[in-house]
Amino acid sequence: MGTPATEATATEATDAIDAIVTHHRSCPLCEACCGLEITTKGDQVLRIRGDMNDPYSKGFICPKGSTLKQLHEDPDRLTSPRIRTAEGWKQATWDEAFAEIERRLGPIVEAHGRQALGTVLGNPNTHNLGGQLYVRPVMTAVGSTNAFSASTVDQMPKHVSAGLMWGRPDMFPLPDLDRTDYLLMLGANPYVSNGSLLTAPDMPGRLEAIRERGTFVVVDPRRTKTAENATEHLAIVPGTDSFWLMALINTLFDEGLVDIGRLEPHVSGVDEVREMTAPYTAEVVADRCGISAETTRRIARELAAAPRAAVYARMGAHTVEFGTIASWATDVLNVLTGNLDEPGGIMFNCAPTQNMAPSTPGGRGFTLGRWAGRASGRPEVKGELPAATLAEEITTPGEGAIKGLFVLACNPVRSFPNSDRIDEALQQLDLLVVVDPYVTATARHAHVILPPTSALERSHYDFAFEANMIRSFAKYSPAVFETDAPSEEQILSRLALVIQGKPVDTDPVVVHNQMMEQLVDAEIGRGSSPIHGRDKAEILEALAAWEWSEQIIDFRLRVGQYGDGFGANPDGLTLRKLIDEHPSGADFGPLVPRFPDAIRTVSGTVEIAPQPIVDDMVRFAAHFGAMRLNEDGQASEQLVLIGRRQLKTVNSWMHNVNILIKGKTDCTLQVHPDDASRLGLTNGGSATVQSRVGKVVVPVEITDEVMPGVVCLPHGWGYDAEGIEMHTAKTKPGVNSNVLTDDAALDDLSGNCTLNGIPVEVTAA
Ligand code: SF4
């Protein structure tokens, strides 16, 4: 591995073995990437607090940040592989574990080919340097189209709308929080989540600053902590954000408020959007969305009048049946109000590893549905099949049924919809390999568990999240503790080699070396690169001081916008310079406009009426027409379930940390007092919640935080299943909300799950 932590940035008090050492690093637990200051003595963590010298987070952390110590010391955390035997689990050596994978894999590939294999990626991979860089070789080695990930649980609508509108599915629109005057936020709760597809540490501080200098409106069926702190909260019927956004667009056209500004020559499809949104006036959608026409028109006028405004939508608006339409309509609003790619509006990635050389707009665009799931028939999106179809791709008999599955840092038995069905499906596999530090609800079914090192035993660089930052910021985090255990880079590389059919004792560094050669080749061939046309051997020689991930970080920094270009810009950035001169991170300033250069659609314009969206309008209109109104002209009385993010947890983990789960029960069903009274529910009593696919019994919390007709359950809980080895979490197991989410209810365009607005029946238990 790369340079040890204590050599790189730590301040050593003495040379003694028990010296008190201060380490600086990023917190890898959520998208905020807060700077941490970690004090250690020998192999003990003495203290973790926010790093006041981190120029991006400035000392901010949430309650989870300091629990890296508890996670590192957790006795339930696996430190060696497990193999399933007829007698139960066997603790194994790494050689034994890979030999077992080889033994089980061979007959599957021989009998059914590689299409009988599949991969499932969880979002911890994006919080983990080794996972970010080395899952790709595993997927390539698997070589099947059965690729699934958490992206189709919570974020694919954003990829699809970005891909269709500017040709770059991974280039997310980022609200320029620090410079905007007006923020309209739908279905997001960053006071609790700390940001989603948006990396900006201290979200509460940044949002309060907006409220002080301007306006900050939250649209959400629940009065979340974020909504409580907003200028205004509008309660919206779950699943109707897309209709309400259409009404805002309609109002802009209707009242002559469209003003695209600088990008006008680079935007196409304006007339089509006018036509598409024509049926959805503020007056027509009002009853179905639960927001009056006057309010909708006022918000549209405020957006248009604000000097600098941004519209941002996330989970609540996207994890619904028309999530992609909601994501698209959000950015159409940003375009039509002249706020796309403008300071204080919506801006784009200016990460230090980006190549920002001027270029010509245009590219290959974005294509959906290049293949379909064998059993589900659902189209691929970004090379993946919908997570909701995983179970049927395993259990539907026939050639191509998945027999061997590699689950990399994911817990689909808790995180994917209709999870009981997945629970059963995984038990039919001939090979299930899980990379996870815990025996989770998913890992308990594995044939082999490969545990990665703890977060404090590995180095870190946020390649994934630097692209979502609202400043151009680079930070390298050396490992706090050294370890003899294999790194995640080595585990995944070795796994890739075994899947390829190579001998289990093959040196995994061959995978890394191949990746480096490909990276350097691609960069040398890029006309705008500072190393265009240079000699590959010379570049590789210049990187020889580093190994594995550190070699990739150094390379990408050096060819990035501030890099030394391998001599082209001698004062430029290198990994060594970042470590020596910026241990708490290097801030290169706010985002800068990137369009039209960065547009990669076929037309070279921002296409605000892409054909797949236009085509989906028929289904959209039919759904709108079918939404039932009661005699008073109000939306249906069918109760609907929404999800709830909690500050002290991250999806289906962090529940094994005692200080995060102690106190009153967090896994409750929130019910409005009117509904509780009608249903005979009592505060603290139990309710049975039943959806089309499942049923749970859960404690009731009566609160007017939720609007009438809406019940709310957090996700990620459910630790009472036999075989889960998370003993602290088991003391407060909670219920798994994905027993209720429906694997048949998807956003057709993105294949994303529906996690919000699920019809349920609730009765007293
Ligand atoms: S907000 Fe996220 S990154 Fe910051 S300390 Fe908390 S968990 Fe870590």
Side-chain angles (χ1 to χ4, degrees), residues 732-747:
K732 277 191 159 184
V735 301
N736 172 20
S737 65
N738 280 314
V739 166
L740 300 169
T741 51
D742 191 338
D743 52 346
L746 301 187
D747 171 31

Side-chain angles (χ1 to χ4, degrees), residues 208-277:
E208 274 152 33
I210 296 173
R211 198 186 56 199
E212 275 172 25
R213 69 174 178 268
T215 304
F216 162 35
V217 179
V218 169
V219 181
D220 200 296
R222 192 164 75 91
R223 194 177 65 250
T224 61
K225 182 115 188 274
T226 305
E228 268 173 13
N229 286 281
T231 317
E232 182 176 3
H233 169 220
L234 304 174
I236 189 167
V237 173
T240 66
D241 303 72
S242 49
F243 300 111
W244 189 66
L245 289 160
M246 295 288 266
L248 289 175
I249 298 168
N250 173 285
T251 304
L252 293 180
F253 283 116
D254 185 46
E255 300 192 9
L257 301 173
V258 171
D259 180 5
I260 297 175
R262 174 180 65 90
L263 285 183
E264 179 137 31
H266 308 286
V267 172
S268 60
V270 175
D271 289 340
E272 288 90 336
V273 169
R274 181 199 304 267
E275 203 175 308
M276 289 157 71
T277 55

Side-chain angles (χ1 to χ4, degrees), residues 332-561:
V332 170
L333 274 172
N334 287 314
V335 170
L336 297 180
T337 51
N339 287 304
L340 191 76
D341 200 40
E342 291 291 344
I346 289 289
M347 302 203 75
F348 295 97
N349 171 14
C350 293
T353 53
Q354 273 282 323
N355 180 341
M356 301 276 283
S359 62
T360 307
R364 285 188 296 182
F366 178 62
T367 306
L368 295 160
R370 293 165 295 173
W371 64 83
R374 174 195 66 96
S376 72
R378 291 275 185 180
E380 69 77 35
V381 178
K382 263 189 101 236
E384 298 182 24
L385 295 174
T389 64
L390 172 62
E392 66 185 301
E393 296 295 348
I394 296 171
T395 58
T396 305
E399 203 51 35
I402 298 173
K403 305 282 184 191
L405 191 65
F406 299 88
V407 176
L408 312 179
C410 195
N411 188 7
V413 176
R414 287 293 172 271
S415 300
F416 286 12
N418 196 356
S419 50
D420 280 355
R421 189 177 177 195
I422 294 173
D423 193 59
E424 287 173 23
L426 294 187
Q427 296 174 60
Q428 297 183 20
L429 293 167
D430 296 334
L431 171 62
L432 174 61
V433 176
V434 173
V435 176
D436 203 297
Y438 287 107
V439 183
T440 63
T442 298
R444 74 197 159 114
H445 296 311
H447 298 100
V448 179
I449 305 177
L450 304 173
T453 56
S454 94
L456 296 182
E457 293 169 330
R458 54 186 181 238
S459 58
H460 191 60
Y461 187 93
D462 278 300
F463 281 117
F465 300 117
E466 71 170 3
N468 296 346
M469 291 181 178
I470 58 169
R471 297 184 69 80
S472 186
F473 182 72
K475 181 166 181 172
Y476 172 74
S477 305
V480 171
F481 297 124
E482 294 183 19
T483 175
D484 293 334
S487 67
E488 194 142 343
E489 290 92 332
Q490 291 166 326
I491 295 168
L492 294 173
S493 296
R494 209 170 165 190
L495 183 58
L497 289 167
V498 171
I499 297 170
Q500 283 174 25
K502 298 285 193 309
V504 290
D505 58 356
T506 305
D507 186 345
V509 81
V510 299
V511 172
H512 167 76
N513 290 341
Q514 195 176 16
M515 279 173 63
M516 273 319 298
E517 295 233 353
Q518 288 168 352
L519 270 175
V520 175
D521 275 338
E523 196 64 29
I524 285 173
R526 202 185 317 275
S528 58
S529 170
I531 61 168
H532 177 61
R534 297 267 295 269
D535 177 53
K536 179 164 76 175
E538 172 213 350
I539 301 297
L540 288 171
E541 177 60 29
L543 294 162
W546 305 102
E547 297 176 313
W548 292 94
S549 292
E550 277 67 14
Q551 201 170 57
I552 297 175
I553 299 168
D554 190 40
F555 175 69
R556 289 179 60 176
L557 286 172
R558 294 176 76 172
V559 298
Q561 57 175 318

Side-chain angles (χ1 to χ4, degrees), residues 221 236-243 316-317 320-322 623 627 642 756-757:
I236 189 167
V237 173
T240 66
D241 303 72
S242 49
F243 300 111
V320 294
E321 193 174 345
F322 291 97
H623 182 87
M627 286 174 72
I642 61 171
N756 287 287

Side-chain angles (χ1 to χ4, degrees), residues 27-36 60-66 193-194 201 647 650:
C27 174
L29 296 175
C30 90
E31 296 186 36
C33 305
C34 302
L36 301 178
F60 175 85
I61 60 169
C62 83
K64 297 187 289 293
S66 65
S193 71
N194 282 297
L647 178 62
V650 179

Side-chain angles (χ1 to χ4, degrees), residues 43 62 148 248 257 412 417 465 481 524 533 574 579 609 612 633 683 706 712:
D43 61 1
C62 83
F148 304 85
L248 289 175
L257 301 173
F465 300 117
F481 297 124
I524 285 173
T574 64
I579 290 169
N683 203 31
V706 286
C712 178

